[in-house]
Amino acid sequence: MENCIFCKIIRKETKTDILYENNNILAFRDINPQAPVHILLIPKTHISTLNDLTGEERELIGDLILNASRLAEQEGIAKEGYRTGFNCNEAGGQTVYHIHLHLLGGRKLGWPPG
Ligand code: 5GP
Ligand code: ZN
């Protein structure tokens, strides 16, 4: 995906602080953090929204969630608590159309989100 900002990060075309990487996923800090810890975990394959999942991505999605919990531990927020979430399409607050799992923590998070 030529113009996708997250695909550019995957191709290392933009300078990004990468926290974790394996063959399938990448994790880096959000450029506009909404909490003291705000990390994004993305698949290395371009999938636009959660609606585009086919059923072939179970392991990939599991990898994102498992590594979110590992990063929470690494960032020292595992015990106090944190939030993970995927936004889907406009009403869900999605602005970048390459699926990403948000990991937020380091402060008391309100519920429900605005
Ligand atoms: P969404 O609103 O789609 O769920 O989340 C997209 C997130 O990507 C936002 O929190 C936004 O701050 C972040 N973001 C957008 N562009 C960039 C970028 O170039 N680098 C990084 N690190 N984060 C970005
Ligand atoms: Zn992409």
Side-chain angles (χ1 to χ4, degrees):
M1 282 289 155
E2 198 61 30
N3 294 316
C4 168
I5 182 76
F6 288 174
C7 283
K8 285 184 183 169
I9 289 172
I10 291 161
R11 295 195 299 265
K12 312 274 162 71
E13 288 172 19
T14 55
K15 196 177 170 293
T16 309
D17 180 20
I18 291 170
L19 300 174
Y20 177 76
E21 179 168 17
N22 66 26
N23 285 340
N24 303 313
I25 74 166
L26 197 62
F28 51 87
R29 291 193 199 280
D30 196 293
I31 204 170
N32 182 24
Q34 300 302 307
V37 175
H38 189 174
I39 293 168
L40 302 174
L41 297 99
I42 66 172
K44 285 188 173 176
T45 52
H46 183 92
I47 303 167
S48 296
T49 77
L50 281 193
N51 295 339
D52 299 302
L53 294 175
T54 64
E56 295 297 309
E57 308 85 353
R58 285 179 171 79
E59 202 175 329
L60 184 61
I61 301 300
D63 208 4
L64 293 173
I65 295 170
L66 177 64
N67 281 289
S69 74
R70 285 183 177 158
L71 283 164
E73 183 73 44
Q74 205 173 294
E75 295 285 316
I77 57 169
K79 194 152 183 273
E80 68 191 50
Y82 55 91
R83 181 167 302 150
T84 59
F86 291 97
N87 296 332
C88 183
N89 278 341
E90 199 182 342
Q94 188 172 8
T95 59
V96 176
Y97 284 80
H98 178 131
I99 61 168
H100 45 281
L101 181 61
H102 290 267
L103 167 63
L104 292 144
R107 69 169 168 86
K108 177 80 178 149
L109 299 160
W111 188 263

